[in-house]
Amino acid sequence: ETFRRVFPTLPLPRVVHPALNCTAYDTPPNIEDPAVHVLRSTRRVVLSINRFERKKAVALAIDAVARLPRDVCLVVAGGWDSLVPENTEHLIELNAHARALGLSTRTIAPRSSDALALLPPDHCRVPTFIDTNILPDVDVLFVPSFTENQRNYLLSVARCVVYTPANEHLGIVPLEAMYSRVPVVAADSGGPRETVVHAKSGYLCEHDATDFADAISRVLAAPETQWREMGAYGRERVVQHFSLDAYAQNIEAVICDMLETPTSVSAVMGILLTLFIVCTSATLYLCATYL
């Protein structure tokens, strides 16, 4: 839709989707890590992974969870930089929003952060050693600037991943979730329309808290067999269509097709392919750096 709106006179190009480096998600989490120990919850975990930016619409996930029974913990994890004003401001905003809805909250301070004053007042630091005392469960747990080990742990315990941005680009988070065998609830717009298969690897929803809450409830209420089937379907979809091997095969197929087309068309497609590869590489780099 976006391509046709921006380039109405050009033929619709063949799409080569960005890839997920699947091997980065194959490492089991180290549960002896104190930074993982503080994430434990006796509740069912609903996970949101996004940078702390307003356009990510994470408040929608909080609004949805507020409509669910109090046996659910929403974990809001993502990129956070004390030098980026929007990151620090929006974390405070989300924390206040959750509390205004009557939800209990806690914020896990980044281990390397020297800007504790910029965190919500409910923050706690990661101990140097594992504390045998389990922290009380909360409704919303914020994890700014999470580590790779924390990410892998959260994906291993989550029952559902919510992805709230509207009209987002492809979005790497649904792919991370599906490869980790976790059903996804995402906005029915943008990239998730191409990654999430409705009712098979998750659910696509209107950008509305009630619709999101209903979809999350369906995932949480699904029998274990159905839940595992959704997870297995999502993982296989990522391997077949969004892995590095699939990416290489698709690029090779496009190049071979270009060699068989007339020169003028090949030139246009070559320019578009080059631009796409550059943009994709930049997107993957930014995701790896900031998400």
Side-chain angles (χ1 to χ4, degrees):
E1 295 174 0
T2 301
F3 184 90
R4 284 174 173 159
R5 185 174 65 253
V6 177
F7 305 107
T9 61
L10 292 179
L12 191 65
R14 184 171 174 178
V15 176
V16 179
H17 293 104
L20 180 73
N21 181 13
C22 297
T23 57
Y25 301 85
D26 289 334
T27 304
N30 173 19
I31 59 175
E32 299 302 321
D33 180 0
V36 162
H37 197 73
V38 296
L39 303 179
R40 294 178 306 165
S41 175
T42 61
R43 301 183 181 187
R44 296 175 294 176
V45 173
V46 174
L47 176 60
S48 168
I49 299 179
N50 269 304
R51 292 186 300 278
F52 284 89
E53 298 175 354
R54 296 178 182 93
K55 67 180 180 181
K56 299 299 183 179
V58 176
L60 177 60
I62 297 174
D63 291 338
V65 167
R67 289 164 166 76
L68 302 178
R70 290 296 182 268
D71 62 346
V72 172
C73 175
L74 172 65
V75 179
V76 178
W80 181 90
D81 190 331
S82 62
L83 300 179
V84 179
E86 184 180 12
N87 288 176
T88 58
E89 293 167 2
H90 195 45
L91 174 56
I92 298 290
E93 292 167 357
L94 291 173
N95 186 282
H97 181 65
R99 287 183 169 270
L101 293 174
L103 303 175
S104 57
T105 65
R106 182 183 303 119
T107 303
I108 305 299
R111 178 174 281 173
S112 60
S113 177
D114 57 356
L116 296 180
L118 298 176
L119 294 171
D122 65 356
H123 72 264
C124 68
R125 305 194 70 165
V126 174
T128 304
F129 303 100
I130 290 180
D131 189 343
T132 56
N133 296 318
I134 299 177
L135 295 172
D137 282 325
V138 292
D139 299 317
V140 184
L141 180 65
F142 294 99
V143 190
S145 193
F146 64 110
T147 67
E148 183 175 316
N149 192 45
Q150 286 177 317
R151 178 201 66 194
N152 288 356
Y153 170 76
L154 290 170
L155 287 169
S156 74
V157 299
R159 297 293 294 181
C160 173
V161 167
V162 290
Y163 193 64
T164 50
N167 299 311
E168 184 79 336
H169 52 78
L170 184 76
I172 204 72
V173 173
L175 299 182
E176 293 176 319
M178 289 193 296
Y179 184 75
S180 301
R181 301 186 177 91
V182 184
V184 180
V185 172
D188 187 13
S189 64
R193 287 182 174 176
E194 300 184 54
T195 55
V196 179
V197 180
H198 184 70
K200 290 189 175 182
S201 64
Y203 296 98
L204 296 173
C205 308
E206 295 299 321
H207 213 244
D208 171 80
T210 299
D211 207 25
F212 262 78
D214 289 345
I216 295 170
S217 294
R218 286 199 296 273
V219 173
L220 297 180
E224 187 68 17
T225 301
Q226 181 185 351
W227 185 84
R228 290 183 180 276
E229 287 175 352
M230 293 181 74
Y233 182 94
R235 184 182 179 94
E236 183 62 22
R237 178 166 173 77
V238 172
V239 171
Q240 292 296 322
H241 300 284
F242 302 101
S243 63
L244 289 174
D245 286 343
Y247 181 77
Q249 293 169 7
N250 290 334
I251 286 289
E252 181 180 17
V254 169
I255 293 174
C256 290
D257 289 345
M258 287 170 53
L259 295 175
E260 297 175 359
T261 57
T263 305
S264 58
V265 177
S266 295
V268 173
M269 293 302 294
I271 293 172
L272 291 175
L273 179 62
T274 301
L275 289 173
F276 177 80
I277 292 174
V278 171
C279 292
T280 299
S281 300
T283 299
L284 291 174
Y285 172 78
L286 290 173
C287 286
T289 303
Y290 297 109
L291 190 61

